[in-house]
Amino acid sequence: MLTVTNVVLTVHDHDEALAFYRDRLGFAVTQDVSYEGMRWVTVTPPDQPDLHVVLETPQSWPDAPQADRDAALDLLAKGLMSRIILTTDDVDALHDALSAAGVEITSEPVDQHYGVRDFGVRDPSGNQLRFNQPLTSAPSRA
């Protein structure tokens, strides 16, 4: 058996990322540990507690030159560092809730030719998140 237990999402600020993932998306904080100037933060989606999303800043890369850390922050701000795709059982209701909460919506819900209805948002660091629902289970919305 081989399973994915941790994925790394680059963020520019741990506290802003925690406020977004915990307070807006309902993720649970599973670890928030500081050690020798670094900070290890993980969150889990509310319905998938065995998958840990590591929120990591380029500043915490101990062996990276400052120029590389700066380059990573530039790419992050442009939305070119990380992406996550999440599945929900009601993509339209989630879109409405996130929109009402002030989350930056990058694309409105649409039926995709590849069998899902989805929409996109940006987290405070610039990461692109897509939320989808298989079309076979999507409620009809006129």
Side-chain angles (χ1 to χ4, degrees):
M1 183 169 101
L2 190 63
T3 61
V4 176
T5 59
N6 290 272
V7 295
V8 177
L9 189 63
T10 304
V11 299
H12 76 277
D13 181 272
H14 282 119
D15 293 323
E16 285 188 34
L18 276 174
F20 179 79
Y21 287 94
R22 179 193 57 220
D23 302 339
R24 302 285 173 103
L25 299 183
F27 283 43
V29 178
T30 52
Q31 294 180 313
D32 188 352
V33 180
S34 295
Y35 178 74
E36 295 187 0
M38 294 182 285
R39 188 173 174 191
W40 178 262
V41 178
T42 62
V43 294
T44 61
D47 297 316
Q48 195 175 14
D50 57 339
L51 177 63
H52 299 265
V53 179
V54 179
L55 304 175
E56 182 180 68
T57 65
Q59 293 87 351
S60 65
W61 301 344
D63 299 323
Q66 187 59 47
D68 290 349
R69 295 176 188 176
D70 293 342
L73 287 171
D74 288 343
L75 292 172
L76 182 62
K78 295 175 183 174
L80 300 175
M81 283 293 287
S82 308
R83 293 182 180 86
I84 290 182
I85 300 171
L86 301 119
T87 298
T88 181
D89 56 359
D90 191 341
V91 75
D92 291 299
L94 181 61
H95 166 270
D96 293 348
L98 293 179
S99 181
V103 172
E104 180 183 355
I105 306 293
T106 58
S107 64
E108 296 295 321
V110 63
D111 292 348
Q112 301 288 357
H113 67 278
Y114 43 87
V116 298
R117 180 170 177 80
D118 73 350
F119 72 97
V121 307
R122 280 173 46 107
D123 76 5
S125 295
N127 294 304
Q128 301 290 321
L129 285 77
R130 293 210 63 85
F131 298 91
N132 71 36
Q133 176 181 8
L135 280 174
T136 55
S137 64
S140 174
R141 202 171 220 211

